[in-house]
Amino acid sequence: MKFLPLILRSLLRKKTRTVFTILSIFVAFILFGYLAAIDSAFGLGVDLVGEDRLILQHKVSLVQLLPESYLRRLEAVDGIIFVTHCTWFGGVYRDPKNYFPQLVVQPERYFKMYPEFLLPEEQLSAWLEDRTGAVVGRATAQRYGFKIGDRVPIQGTFWRLADGGSTWEFTIRGIYDGAEDGTDTTQFVFRYDYFDETRVASAKGLVGWYMLRIRDPERAPEIAAKVDAMFANSFYETKTTTEKAFLRGFANQIGNIGAILTAVLAAVFFTILLVSGNTMAQSVRERSSEFAVLKTLGFSDGLVLLLVLGESFALSVFAGLAGLATAWYLISLGDPTGGVLPIFYFPPEKLVTGLSFIILLALLSGLFPAIQAMRLRIADALRRS
Amino acid sequence: MNDALVQVREVHKVYHRGSERIDVLDGLSLEVPEGEFLALMGPSGSGKTTLLNLIGGLDTPSAGEIVVGRSSLGTLSSASLASWRAGHVGFIFQFYNLLPVLSAEANVELPLLLTRLGRSDRRQRVATALEIVGLSDRAKHYPRQLSGGQEQRVGIARALVTDPTLLLCDEPTGDLDRVSAEEILDLLEELSREHGKTIIMVTHDPAAAARASRVLHLDKGRLSRESGT
């Protein structure tokens, strides 16, 4: 600690250069935070889904429907402890740009399948009382100002009412929250019984996909193979995967966002490493006579190495932490796109990655100049000065 | 039993510039008794500063031995040598070599950062050192706010603050005007006379050398003559 004032004073020797370097690192870490949040957003919360859930869909594609009757057969399979189904509605609320996922679900079963969706008991009861009721996630409710009791018209795009109309009206009966930061709270869900009763007759009894909860996640491949075999050679053949794989596949349809973001981050950090490394190298070169004086006074080679590394750490840690903290704050303000990235948060594990980057940056940018300072020969440096 | 504080025995220092061999010191031997104020004179390139660096452990001889007190410098590792310098030697440079980002008192405190002294003890020692050189009222000033003479006084305070036995001065008045130079020489004389410091001073200036108790002349890496004052 007694060397800290010396380290800080040395950093302020060239204030402008130090300030610009700090700003570069600061901005890089804000960018890091944002890209980490965007990466998570495009990952659709894949990391948070339960290991014990499987998704069963039509073998051809998610768009193809499956019979509702599969539910009882799936419940009878050994190892499957709970089943429910879901159907993509894909309607429009007032304007096509107002996108949020609308799903047709079995109310009690759906919230039992997804305990990470937190819906108060009395709201669930109110929903069960109202066949035209719907439940919406907090993010979408806040985005459109939905309140309990509001009537919400949704324009069906491919689902039509039996009477030929396309406007489905729902009453908000509940608003659910997420158990964790990354839990999806953008969904708008409504009842399958009401949906099936009022939709065109040709599609009655068909659902989008099934969610299966299994007792032992280790048995997932075996159970998936078993149920797919069960429906093989039927009109509705199936493909079963873990929910994680299902979501990852869904996310990958957008493109390998993770790889793109990693490439951008790598470029940013490489540039920052050059900026920071250059600052340190220049600073040490300019002060070779000062290091020679310190050594003359009795500072050992090792201590001089630590002093230079200390400067590098002070620079990177101060600017990096400030950048991460600012990113954290800005991200906590919510999705900057107004809805394109509904799951927008700073994943805690990325914070650890950020801290590791700070240490790595300090080490890489400071090590070479520190070794130079350590190896400096006193007599030569004093003679040159 | 030899009571000399500094013993230089048959020391050679050779530099190589390309294929050219330069014998800066050529079998030089010298003894400096404790408490002596010795001036080293000689033309440029005669090896004065090299000799001073070797005695201070800043450089190593190509051959020969240097003993200061009980320490044979050639046997010490780089780390031990640094630690030895911190405890036994004070350096005073021609261009002061103060750290511009530190105040006068912070510059003087630097050698004390290597000791186990607490903050208040360090401050007290710094205050004492600055008082000895007559700069108590400039403790908070930065080098750029001081005159050359004052900067050199800070340099002397920094050399004194650990209370070393040996002070090595390389042209301490070389960058000062006559009045400031006289003040610095008065101070060095006082340190030798009243504080018993052993001082070895490299100088070109006969007037400065005249303040020493003994003057040695170097030429081409050898002692050419000795004169008393």
Side-chain angles (χ1 to χ4, degrees):
Chain A
M1 279 303 285
K2 60 186 172 184
F3 294 105
L4 193 61
L6 175 60
I7 289 170
L8 297 180
R9 281 275 165 194
S10 300
L11 273 178
L12 293 175
R13 193 170 190 269
K14 297 267 183 183
K15 288 192 185 71
T16 311
R17 185 172 64 199
T18 302
V19 166
F20 277 120
T21 307
I22 285 175
L23 282 177
S24 308
I25 298 172
F26 173 72
V27 170
F29 276 91
I30 291 180
L31 192 63
F32 167 80
Y34 258 93
L35 292 182
I38 291 169
D39 189 26
S40 287
F42 278 103
L44 302 172
V46 166
D47 294 333
L48 296 177
V49 303
E51 297 284 341
D52 59 349
R53 287 196 294 252
L54 303 182
I55 300 288
L56 178 145
Q57 65 172 80
H58 195 286
K59 191 176 180 180
V60 175
S61 81
L62 197 60
V63 178
Q64 308 293 314
L65 300 175
L66 295 169
E68 185 196 348
S69 58
Y70 276 12
L71 189 136
R72 297 292 162 214
R73 293 178 66 186
L74 288 167
E75 279 181 329
V77 173
D78 175 46
I80 295 178
I81 52 176
F82 188 64
V83 183
T84 188
H85 59 69
C86 191
T87 306
W88 183 259
F89 187 73
V92 170
Y93 172 64
R94 290 188 178 155
D95 190 296
K97 74 173 194 280
N98 294 337
Y99 168 79
F100 52 89
Q102 299 125 23
L103 300 170
V104 186
V105 303
Q106 297 174 292
E108 284 176 298
R109 283 176 177 257
Y110 190 70
F111 280 91
K112 189 176 169 190
M113 180 63 78
Y114 291 101
E116 61 266 41
F117 296 162
L118 307 175
L119 180 68
E121 199 62 45
E122 65 280 8
Q123 293 181 16
L124 179 62
S125 302
W127 189 24
L128 293 173
E129 296 286 312
D130 180 3
R131 288 163 64 81
T132 65
V135 167
V136 65
R138 181 72 61 191
T140 296
Q142 283 176 346
R143 187 174 161 203
Y144 296 103
F146 294 153
K147 298 184 299 294
I148 289 174
D150 282 358
R151 295 285 290 169
V152 178
I154 305 280
Q155 196 76 29
T157 49
F158 44 84
W159 289 112
R160 297 272 163 179
L161 289 155
D163 62 8
S166 63
T167 304
W168 302 65
E169 283 220 349
F170 304 98
T171 307
I172 303 285
R173 293 299 177 199
I175 294 173
Y176 75 87
D177 288 292
E180 294 187 53
D181 279 344
T183 304
D184 179 10
T185 58
T186 64
Q187 295 181 8
F188 182 97
V189 295
F190 55 92
R191 293 173 55 159
Y192 174 74
D193 52 358
Y194 168 64
F195 171 72
D196 195 47
E197 189 180 285
T198 49
R199 66 176 159 175
V200 288
S202 60
K204 281 189 193 302
L206 295 174
V207 300
W209 63 89
Y210 284 91
M211 289 84 87
L212 321 174
R213 167 161 294 138
I214 55 174
R215 185 171 288 112
D216 179 8
E218 300 271 308
R219 291 184 60 202
E222 174 212 329
I223 293 172
K226 191 172 175 180
V227 295
D228 287 343
M230 202 162 82
F231 302 117
N233 301 317
S234 74
F235 189 68
Y236 299 102
E237 288 196 302
T238 60
K239 184 173 80 178
T240 308
T241 55
T242 60
E243 191 177 72
K244 208 173 258 249
F246 174 80
L247 284 177
R248 193 168 287 129
F250 202 74
N252 284 346
Q253 289 176 12
I254 306 166
N256 196 343
I257 299 295
I260 295 166
L261 297 184
T262 304
V264 172
L265 267 183
V268 168
F269 276 98
F270 181 67
T271 310
I272 288 306
L273 187 62
L274 294 184
V275 170
S276 177
N278 183 53
T279 298
M280 288 306 303
Q282 239 179 316
S283 168
V284 166
R285 225 175 12 250
E286 288 165 0
R287 290 183 293 152
S288 60
S289 66
E290 290 180 21
F291 288 117
V293 170
L294 289 178
K295 287 186 174 189
T296 302
L297 298 180
F299 284 59
S300 66
D301 293 345
L303 182 54
V304 167
L305 176 118
L306 289 177
L307 286 176
V308 177
L309 277 179
E311 287 178 32
S312 171
F313 269 84
L315 194 71
S316 301
V317 168
F318 171 73
L321 286 183
L324 285 180
T326 306
W328 184 280
Y329 171 71
L330 293 174
I331 289 166
S332 72
L333 297 179
D335 171 16
T337 63
V340 175
L341 304 172
I343 305 170
F344 194 71
Y345 72 111
F346 201 149
E349 70 275 11
K350 295 289 183 181
L351 192 63
V352 177
T353 310
L355 294 174
S356 310
F357 276 155
I358 290 175
I359 292 168
L360 201 64
L361 178 66
L363 208 58
L364 290 179
S365 60
L367 196 59
F368 182 65
I371 290 172
Q372 270 189 316
M374 182 185 77
R375 288 180 176 166
L376 190 83
R377 289 169 52 86
I378 305 174
D380 293 344
L382 287 177
R383 194 166 38 242
R384 279 198 302 271
S385 72
Chain B
M1 171 97 182
N2 195 326
D3 61 352
L5 178 71
V6 179
Q7 298 168 58
V8 179
R9 296 173 187 153
E10 281 295 312
V11 162
H12 292 259
K13 182 68 185 176
V14 180
Y15 289 112
H16 293 274
R17 192 185 296 148
S19 58
E20 188 188 0
R21 175 190 165 107
I22 304 163
D23 287 282
V24 181
L25 294 178
D26 186 15
L28 187 144
S29 294
L30 164 72
E31 288 192 350
V32 184
E34 189 161 358
E36 186 177 45
F37 185 178
L38 172 72
L40 289 173
M41 293 192 76
S44 292
S46 59
K48 306 182 298 292
T49 298
T50 301
L51 178 59
L52 205 66
N53 288 344
L54 294 176
I55 293 170
L58 304 183
D59 205 350
T60 49
S62 307
E65 186 185 21
I66 295 172
V67 179
V68 180
R70 292 176 185 170
S71 306
S72 173
L73 303 191
T75 63
L76 299 178
S77 66
S78 166
S80 307
L81 207 52
S83 166
W84 172 80
R85 276 197 303 273
H88 296 89
V89 190
F91 289 86
I92 299 164
F93 304 94
Q94 179 180 356
F95 298 109
Y96 334 125
N97 281 339
L98 303 178
L99 269 59
V101 292
L102 299 180
S103 64
E105 63 180 1
N107 264 291
V108 176
E109 191 188 11
L110 280 173
L112 296 178
L113 295 178
L114 303 170
T115 67
R116 293 179 186 275
L117 291 174
R119 191 182 161 93
S120 61
D121 286 341
R122 292 203 304 270
R123 291 203 158 184
Q124 195 164 351
R125 285 213 188 191
V126 169
T128 306
L130 284 170
E131 196 181 323
I132 289 172
V133 300
L135 273 186
S136 298
D137 57 335
R138 297 283 189 274
K140 305 285 180 197
H141 287 57
Y142 285 84
R144 64 177 181 278
Q145 298 168 316
L146 301 172
S147 68
Q150 288 171 331
E151 279 196 78
Q152 191 57 295
R153 283 165 184 265
V154 174
I156 293 173
R158 182 177 64 186
L160 283 178
V161 75
T162 53
D163 194 23
T165 345
L166 179 63
L167 288 180
L168 299 177
C169 317
D170 192 0
E171 304 266 13
T173 58
D175 197 44
L176 298 176
D177 59 68
R178 179 46 58 192
V179 177
S180 300
E182 290 297 328
E183 287 172 0
I184 294 300
L185 290 167
D186 288 344
L187 190 55
L188 291 177
E189 254 187 322
E190 183 188 323
L191 290 171
S192 171
R193 198 175 54 242
E194 292 175 24
H195 297 269
K197 301 293 176 198
T198 306
I199 301 175
I200 302 176
M201 175 176 72
V202 164
T203 183
H204 275 109
D205 179 6
R211 299 290 199 100
S213 51
R214 184 162 62 124
V215 181
L216 290 176
H217 296 264
L218 268 80
D219 192 20
K220 295 177 182 165
R222 288 174 166 272
L223 288 175
S224 58
R225 63 189 167 91
E226 176 177 337
S227 56
T229 59

